């Protein structure tokens, strides 16, 4: 090192004299898992002649790690070796917030994926962005295969017009709960077979734009039970109607 500012004390706990004297060597302060990333970034800057930017973890004098952001220039100075001129700043608070957000997203994704009901995330153009495991099993398709498809691929052709009509009303309405009561339609599996589902939709306003979550429940057993009760009632009514003895 040829120059180190007094800011090194606040950043690392080491003063300029210590770092200039190689006690410790700056490269040794970089987290072992980040050294290859930093090295490759610097090498690319040397070859391209452009400035570099890199984030990495840096060890402090009290054996803690900080997340830092470095921006600078690097060049091959011949016998002097590689020279780097740059600015380094502590981004630990920002990085911790990012990590916290990532953990929150992972937690939410785990809850959605483990939900008993089928859940589909759909964009403003009715393209599927993801299916949870329950929805994938329901429609006999993987989430990867479903991603990018239009939602109509999961709906019976006879019910498509009804769904499109309701969805247009939903998008045009200020009421994000237009589908709160749900809609009963026939879903279409990847193998072409049909089955009855109860569908409800909620709007999400995300940074990426409008998104919709579709909650999908397979109601095959419910419909089968309703049909069984209907037939039993029909048989009972027929028995009463044609019985030779009055029943009251």
């Amino acid at each position: 090192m040829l120059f180190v500012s007094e800011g090194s004390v606040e950043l690392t706990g080491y003063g300029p004299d210590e770092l200039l004297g190689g006690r410790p060597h700056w490269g040794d302060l970089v987290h072992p898992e980040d050294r290859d990333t930093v090295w490759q970034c610097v090498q690319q800057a040397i070859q391209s002649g452009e400035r570099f930017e890199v984030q990495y973890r840096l060890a402090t004098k009290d054996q803690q790690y900080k997340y830092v952001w470095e921006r600078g220039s690097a060049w091959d100075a011949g016998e002097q070796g590689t020279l780097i001129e740059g600015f380094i700043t502590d981004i630990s608070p920002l990085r911790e917030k990012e990590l916290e957000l990532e953990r929150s997203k992972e937690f939410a994704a785990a809850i959605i994926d483990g939900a008993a009901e089928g859940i589909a995330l759909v964009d403003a153009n009715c393209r599927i962005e993801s299916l949870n495991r329950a929805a994938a099993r329901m429609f006999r398709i993987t989430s990867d295969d479903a991603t990018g498809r239009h939602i109509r691929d999961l709906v019976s052709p006879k019910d498509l017009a009804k769904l499109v009509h309701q969805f247009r009303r939903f998008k045009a309405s200020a009421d994000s709960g237009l589908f709160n009561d749900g809609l009963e339609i026939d879903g279409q599996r990847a193998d072409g077979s049909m089955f009855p589902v109860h569908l409800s939709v909620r709007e999400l306003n995300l940074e990426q734009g409008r998104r919709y979550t579709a909650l999908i429940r397979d109601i095959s057993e419910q419909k089968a039970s309703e049909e069984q009760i209907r037939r039993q009632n029909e048989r009972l009514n027929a028995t009463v109607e044609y019985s030779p003895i009055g029943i009251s």
Side-chain angles (χ1 to χ4, degrees):
M1 283 190 165
L2 302 178
F3 171 78
V4 177
S5 73
E6 292 293 336
S8 66
V9 177
E10 182 179 353
L11 183 65
T12 68
Y14 295 101
D17 291 343
E18 293 175 284
L19 293 172
L20 288 171
R23 306 183 308 275
H25 188 276
W26 186 263
D28 294 335
L29 298 180
V30 178
H31 193 289
E33 295 179 1
D34 297 338
R35 288 171 188 169
D36 284 346
T37 300
V38 175
W39 186 85
Q40 290 174 11
C41 186
V42 172
Q43 293 305 308
Q44 290 175 1
I46 293 173
Q47 294 173 10
S48 66
E50 298 178 351
R51 298 177 70 84
F52 68 86
E53 291 185 8
V54 63
Q55 295 182 19
Y56 57 92
R57 288 162 289 180
L58 190 70
T60 62
K61 198 169 187 177
D62 59 0
Q63 304 302 308
Q64 301 295 316
Y65 277 101
K66 290 182 177 181
Y67 282 94
V68 299
W69 173 79
E70 180 175 355
R71 181 179 185 182
S73 302
W75 64 93
D76 186 350
E79 293 183 358
Q80 289 183 284
T82 299
L83 296 182
I84 300 175
E85 178 184 30
F87 169 79
I88 304 171
T89 187
D90 181 7
I91 60 168
S92 296
L94 175 61
R95 184 58 181 153
E96 286 300 324
K97 288 182 179 179
E98 290 176 348
L99 291 173
E100 184 178 350
L101 180 59
E102 289 174 9
R103 287 191 290 267
S104 297
K105 287 180 178 179
E106 290 173 359
F107 181 66
I111 292 176
I112 290 172
D113 202 40
E117 283 193 328
I119 301 176
L121 181 64
V122 182
D123 68 16
N125 297 314
C126 297
R127 296 284 174 182
I128 300 168
E129 294 194 345
S130 67
L131 294 180
N132 72 343
R133 281 182 290 180
R137 285 195 302 267
M138 204 178 292
F139 289 96
R140 298 175 186 171
I141 190 173
T142 66
S143 182
D144 288 343
D145 287 341
T147 299
R149 292 193 181 193
H150 197 279
I151 194 68
R152 63 171 171 261
D153 293 342
L154 304 183
V155 179
S156 165
K158 72 179 180 62
D159 288 332
L160 182 58
K162 178 167 64 172
L163 178 63
V164 170
H165 173 70
Q166 290 288 350
F167 197 72
R168 284 175 177 168
R169 285 183 57 210
F170 176 71
K171 290 176 68 175
S173 172
D175 180 8
S176 63
L178 183 62
F179 271 34
N180 273 351
D181 294 334
L183 184 68
E184 290 189 3
I185 59 174
D186 279 350
Q188 179 170 272
R189 300 187 179 98
D191 61 10
S193 60
M194 307 294 175
F195 67 108
V197 299
H198 179 275
L199 174 70
S200 58
V201 179
R202 298 290 294 180
E203 180 178 357
L204 298 175
N205 286 311
L206 305 178
E207 291 182 2
Q208 306 95 314
R210 261 183 167 184
R211 296 293 187 275
Y212 303 91
T213 54
L215 303 181
I216 310 160
R217 181 163 51 89
D218 185 346
I219 55 175
S220 298
E221 292 185 4
Q222 175 188 324
K223 288 298 182 182
S225 296
E226 290 174 356
E227 178 62 16
Q228 184 178 7
I229 292 171
R230 185 188 66 79
R231 289 180 179 178
Q232 288 175 347
N233 288 336
E234 286 181 350
R235 286 196 294 268
L236 179 60
N237 290 335
T239 300
V240 171
E241 183 177 351
Y242 296 107
S243 174
I245 303 174
I247 299 176
S248 62

